Amino acid sequence: MDSSDLYRDITDFARDTPPWVRSAFEAETKYGLLLFGVLFIAVWWRSRGHDDRAVALAVLAPLVTALTYVVSETVKSTVDEERPCRAVAGAAASLIACPAYGDWSFPSNHSAIAGGAAVGLAMAARRLAVWTLPLAALMAFSRVFVGVHYPHDVAMGLLLGVSLGALLMVALAGVMSRIVAAVRASRAPVAVWFTGPGPTR
């Protein structure tokens, strides 16, 4: 799989953009995942007033995202693909520091995390899908734009995150719903705070 030519095109384009555009993408690639963290907290907090399944999905979203990262990192350590900012001759210099040797390129962990988070949040709060999925795509593109990943790295990272995230959300929703129901039934103060009282009747 070789997307070196497209990588050169994107990084050349990045170098030709105004400084504020480059700064925006640098900020996105460094801090964009934090927004998903804020959304995890907001969706969980809101779910506490809803049924067991709503809480289960809200709790699963960050857990599933963590699992997609573990799988992505496992694949990355097996493939050992060199970063394009070192390997592609004639490419524009990356906008941020090229990761150290041994921090391999395929697949993009950022993209896998963003894909898993986007689909997890979308399944926990459907109206968020119009925001989370484009945010994941933007995160993936930013990794190529700043020069630290090939296009195929981010494409496969997104595909891994979205597909594995959706599969795990569906597979684990029933089990997690039963756990939430049991925790709520305990009436322990900490349990009630974490899961919420459920829908008011």
Side-chain angles (χ1 to χ4, degrees):
M1 193 181 303
D2 186 7
S3 55
S4 298
D5 289 340
L6 183 56
Y7 171 80
R8 289 190 192 91
D9 290 341
I10 293 173
T11 53
D12 285 346
F13 166 75
R15 282 290 174 182
D16 289 338
T17 58
W20 67 268
V21 173
R22 296 196 296 271
S23 296
F25 273 98
E26 289 170 26
E28 164 64 14
T29 206
K30 288 180 182 178
Y31 307 115
L33 293 180
L34 294 177
L35 180 55
F36 287 109
V38 172
L39 290 174
F40 284 144
I41 295 170
V43 168
W44 159 70
W45 187 259
R46 183 178 179 276
S47 75
R48 296 164 68 257
H50 295 276
D51 62 18
D52 298 340
R53 183 175 175 82
V55 177
L57 292 174
V59 171
L60 276 176
L63 296 179
V64 161
T65 301
L67 288 173
T68 62
Y69 164 73
V70 171
V71 173
S72 176
E73 183 62 26
T74 301
V75 174
K76 177 178 284 199
S77 63
T78 302
V79 175
D80 292 358
E81 178 189 74
E82 185 56 275
R83 294 277 181 165
C85 37
R86 268 190 295 275
V88 178
S94 58
L95 297 180
I96 63 174
C98 194
Y101 180 79
D103 184 352
W104 307 114
S105 194
F106 180 89
S108 162
N109 283 342
H110 278 72
S111 300
I113 292 168
V119 75
L121 287 164
M123 293 178 73
R126 292 183 181 179
R127 284 182 289 186
L128 284 179
V130 298
W131 298 102
T132 61
L133 296 176
L135 280 173
L138 181 62
M139 169 56 69
F141 178 73
S142 76
R143 302 300 288 168
V144 183
F145 186 94
V146 300
V148 295
H149 275 292
Y150 291 101
H152 67 262
D153 295 338
V154 301
M156 292 306 295
L158 268 183
L159 179 62
L160 172 65
V162 169
S163 58
L164 183 59
L167 178 64
L168 290 173
M169 290 290 287
V170 171
L172 299 176
V175 173
M176 186 60 77
S177 294
R178 291 192 289 275
I179 292 172
V180 170
V183 170
R184 278 178 163 171
S186 73
R187 300 296 181 187
V190 173
V192 172
W193 175 83
F194 183 77
T195 62
T200 54
R201 304 179 183 211

